[in-house]
């Protein structure tokens, strides 16, 4: 929607999200722009191949193509590496002059102050539980080894003017907004100003933040006053040595329960993210993580096998060690083991992941974690996941691909 907004007005844009709408391969188009996560990259290449077979030019951007432009260029005419501001209008101009270059790359990080409001009119809101997404800033001050955010967006925190974000938020309809920033509390002074202004709108929102928010507890209450009802937090592991290995030693395991309690006291639910498969992990970690998640009343959780996504330090490390064993990108969704683990087999890791999902989203565990704090949204998401997990396990046994994380 943001790239559509960056498109000069003389061009007509239609937007297709294949997770809800099929692609019309016969549509009239001068150029097809594609973006895809690593897990969707092969599908994006299939789409590109079909359009190019008709003579339609294809330009690809996004994290995967930015990390591996040479691979993407086997299927597309041009790759926009990094953020699209300036580069996408430039690519369109070159296309009109029939002088499209294979790679577009910015010299400096674009200033997000110039980002126009997203073209939400191009999506059908009825196809989504939440389509009111909004971005306030880009980048993250941290550099966790498995995460592509700081290599893609940089380690500086680049913010949009608070007034612009608030004006865009005010234009959204009544549903809860999703602030898609990777770490909405990464810059406490900016977050404070933003939350104070958002509070006037009396809207609700969900977002993502790091555990470092505990250092400025007043920020949590300001987020709640601004309408925050849920936060996705990368807890990653309950083992300090594994966190150190991930470059995430700023997560303090002994403070996890306090963090959850403080969020709950402010009416904010937590979606905790945990990953498994790191060197040095003991096999009992799945049981201990399950026990912790239940005792700490984690509302919802995403579990994954750590995945060497191109563009991350973790990928480079494993590449150097010759341990990346899977090149089928569709398996890079966190449910498959794509590298040679140490001290455990890949099959065992995958079975343990399936078990923790089954246990965490069993009705018994859902009740145990949520009965004393009834939140309709938490119940709804837990019951959706209860069903998704069972469908995922069934389809996995049948050998049919299905992503438990969904979209
Ligand atoms: S995992 Fe979170 S805290 Fe770490 S670099 Fe990525 S966005 Fe930042």
């Amino acid at each position: 929607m943001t790239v559509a907004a960056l498109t000069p007005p003389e061009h007509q844009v239609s937007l297709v999200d294949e997770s809800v709408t099929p692609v019309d391969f016969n549509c009239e188009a001068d150029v097809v722009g594609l973006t895809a996560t690593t897990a969707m990259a092969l599908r994006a290449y299939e789409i590109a191949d079909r359009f190019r077979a008709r003579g339609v030019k294809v330009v690809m951007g996004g994290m995967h193509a930015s990390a591996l432009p040479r691979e993407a260029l086997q299927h597309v005419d041009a790759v926009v590496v990094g953020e699209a501001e300036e580069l996408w209008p430039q690519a369109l101009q070159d296309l009109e002059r029939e002088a499209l270059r294979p790679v577009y790359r910015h010299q400096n990080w674009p200033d997000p102050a110039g980002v126009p409001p997203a073209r939400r009119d191009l999506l059908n809101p009825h196809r989504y539980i939440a389509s009111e997404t909004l971005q306030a800033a880009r980048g993250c001050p941290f550099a966790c080894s498995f995460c592509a955010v700081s290599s893609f967006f940089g380690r500086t925190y680049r913010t949009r003017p608070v007034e612009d974000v608030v004006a865009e938020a005010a234009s959204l309809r009544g549903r809860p907004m999703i602030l898609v920033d990777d770490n909405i509390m990464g810059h406490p002074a900016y977050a404070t100003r933003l939350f104070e202004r958002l509070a006037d709108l009396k809207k609700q929102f969900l977002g993502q933040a790091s555990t470092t928010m505990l250092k400025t507890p007043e920020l949590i209450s300001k987020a709640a006053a601004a309408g925050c009802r849920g936060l996705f937090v990368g807890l990653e592991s309950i083992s300090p040595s594994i966190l150190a290995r991930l470059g995430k030693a700023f997560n303090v395991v002994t403070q996890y329960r306090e963090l959850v309690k403080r969020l709950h006291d402010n009416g904010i639910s937590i979606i905790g993210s945990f990953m498994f498969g790191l060197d040095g992990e003991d096999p009992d970690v799945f049981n201990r993580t399950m026990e912790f998640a239940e005792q700490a009343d984690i509302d919802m959780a995403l579990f994954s096998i750590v995945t060497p996504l191109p563009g991350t330090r973790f990928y480079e490390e494993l590449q150097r060690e010759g341990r990346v064993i899977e090149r089928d990108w569709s398996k890079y969704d966190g449910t498959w083991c794509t590298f040679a683990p140490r001290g455990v087999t890949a099959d065992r890791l995958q079975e343990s992941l399936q078990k923790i999902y089954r246990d965490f989203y069993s009705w018994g565990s859902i009740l145990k974690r949520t009965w004393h704090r009834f939140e309709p949204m938490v119940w709804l998401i837990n019951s959706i996941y209860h069903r998704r997990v069972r469908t995922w396990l069934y389809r996995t046994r049948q050998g049919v691909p299905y992503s438990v994380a969904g979209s």
Side-chain angles (χ1 to χ4, degrees):
M1 294 184 286
T2 299
V3 175
L6 293 169
T7 306
E10 62 269 25
H11 301 288
Q12 232 186 339
V13 183
S14 67
L15 186 59
V16 180
D17 171 0
E18 211 195 13
S19 60
V20 295
T21 314
V23 176
D24 175 5
F25 286 99
N26 297 315
C27 69
E28 286 294 315
D30 298 311
V31 58
V32 168
L34 282 172
T35 185
T37 59
T38 294
M40 297 305 295
L42 296 182
R43 175 60 186 158
Y45 295 157
E46 272 173 33
I47 294 172
D49 293 344
R50 287 186 63 178
F51 276 107
R52 284 180 88 204
R54 275 181 49 202
V56 179
K57 294 283 183 201
V58 178
V59 180
M60 186 163 173
M63 283 193 173
H64 184 81
S66 295
L68 300 176
R70 275 198 297 184
E71 175 192 283
L73 280 170
Q74 293 167 30
H75 302 271
V76 304
D77 298 285
V79 174
V80 173
V81 174
E83 298 172 36
E85 285 82 12
E86 296 165 29
L87 303 181
W88 173 241
Q90 179 65 57
L92 289 178
Q93 245 179 39
D94 291 351
L95 196 66
E96 282 179 293
R97 295 189 297 119
E98 297 190 354
L100 189 67
R101 287 186 271 132
V103 176
Y104 290 81
R105 223 181 262 276
H106 44 69
Q107 301 302 317
N108 301 303
W109 300 110
D111 179 359
V115 176
R119 289 276 314 272
R120 295 184 183 79
D121 56 301
L122 296 172
L123 277 192
N124 178 353
H126 305 298
R127 306 306 301 269
Y128 299 89
I129 294 173
S131 61
E132 310 285 28
T133 53
L134 185 67
Q135 188 173 43
R138 294 178 184 170
C140 177
F142 304 112
C144 308
S145 67
F146 58 89
C147 175
V149 167
S150 23
S151 58
F152 189 85
F153 289 115
R155 284 187 74 174
T156 53
Y157 202 69
R158 288 170 295 128
T159 55
R160 291 176 68 197
V162 167
E163 303 69 43
D164 290 4
V165 181
V166 173
E168 197 174 343
S171 73
L172 303 179
R173 285 178 293 270
R175 297 181 187 192
M177 306 179 286
I178 304 208
L179 278 165
V180 298
D181 298 39
D182 292 290
N183 190 355
I184 189 66
M185 312 235 197
H187 189 313
Y190 177 79
T192 302
R193 287 203 308 280
L194 180 67
F195 293 155
E196 283 172 355
R197 292 291 311 282
L198 282 179
D200 299 337
L201 301 182
K202 308 215 175 320
K203 285 178 176 273
Q204 296 194 342
F205 72 89
L206 310 174
Q208 310 184 84
S210 61
T211 58
T212 50
M213 69 180 113
L214 205 51
K215 287 187 188 158
T216 37
E218 60 281 8
L219 204 52
I220 299 176
S221 35
K222 281 194 188 288
C228 181
R229 292 295 169 266
L231 284 175
F232 178 96
V233 183
L235 300 173
E236 321 304 2
S237 176
I238 55 166
S239 156
S241 61
I242 296 294
L243 287 166
R245 207 169 284 229
L246 291 170
K248 205 157 184 174
F250 58 83
N251 270 12
V252 182
V253 177
T254 50
Q255 294 177 347
Y256 280 3
R257 282 172 206 244
E258 187 192 340
L259 174 68
V260 179
K261 182 170 181 325
R262 203 171 277 272
L263 290 173
H264 284 172
D265 288 349
N266 281 280
I268 299 174
S269 303
I270 175 169
I271 306 173
S273 158
F274 298 92
M275 52 180 60
F276 305 98
L278 267 274
D279 295 353
E281 206 167 68
D282 77 85
D284 194 43
V285 67
F286 285 92
N287 291 333
R288 287 186 289 111
T289 304
M290 178 67 199
E291 204 176 288
F292 161 78
E294 282 193 332
Q295 286 177 358
D297 296 334
I298 300 282
D299 299 287
M300 293 150 289
L302 285 183
F303 305 103
S304 57
I305 296 173
V306 62
T307 302
L309 292 171
T312 63
R313 261 192 301 129
F314 185 55
Y315 175 80
E316 283 161 20
E317 276 164 30
L318 290 188
Q319 278 279 91
R320 270 198 305 277
E321 293 168 9
R323 292 171 63 197
V324 178
I325 52 171
E326 181 60 75
R327 289 286 168 190
D328 175 352
W329 297 130
S330 66
K331 292 193 169 163
Y332 280 59
D333 67 352
T335 63
W336 299 88
C337 184
T338 54
F339 63 97
R342 289 204 171 116
V344 63
T345 63
D347 284 349
R348 184 69 198 272
L349 263 181
Q350 285 163 198
E351 282 159 20
S352 301
L353 186 81
Q354 291 169 6
K355 181 176 182 316
I356 196 169
Y357 258 120
R358 193 173 50 229
D359 293 350
F360 188 81
Y361 287 106
S362 65
W363 286 121
S365 178
I366 293 172
L367 276 171
K368 207 184 284 180
R369 289 181 283 108
T370 60
W371 69 273
H372 52 287
R373 192 180 157 269
F374 181 71
E375 281 287 340
M377 181 189 69
V378 170
W379 264 94
L380 176 69
I381 298 179
N382 270 289
S383 41
I384 290 172
Y385 264 83
H386 173 83
R387 204 185 151 101
R388 283 195 79 91
V389 166
R390 268 131 195 90
T391 309
W392 168 55
L393 295 176
Y394 174 75
R395 296 219 181 158
T396 302
R397 278 196 298 273
Q398 311 291 315
V400 183
Y402 183 84
S403 167
V404 68
S407 55

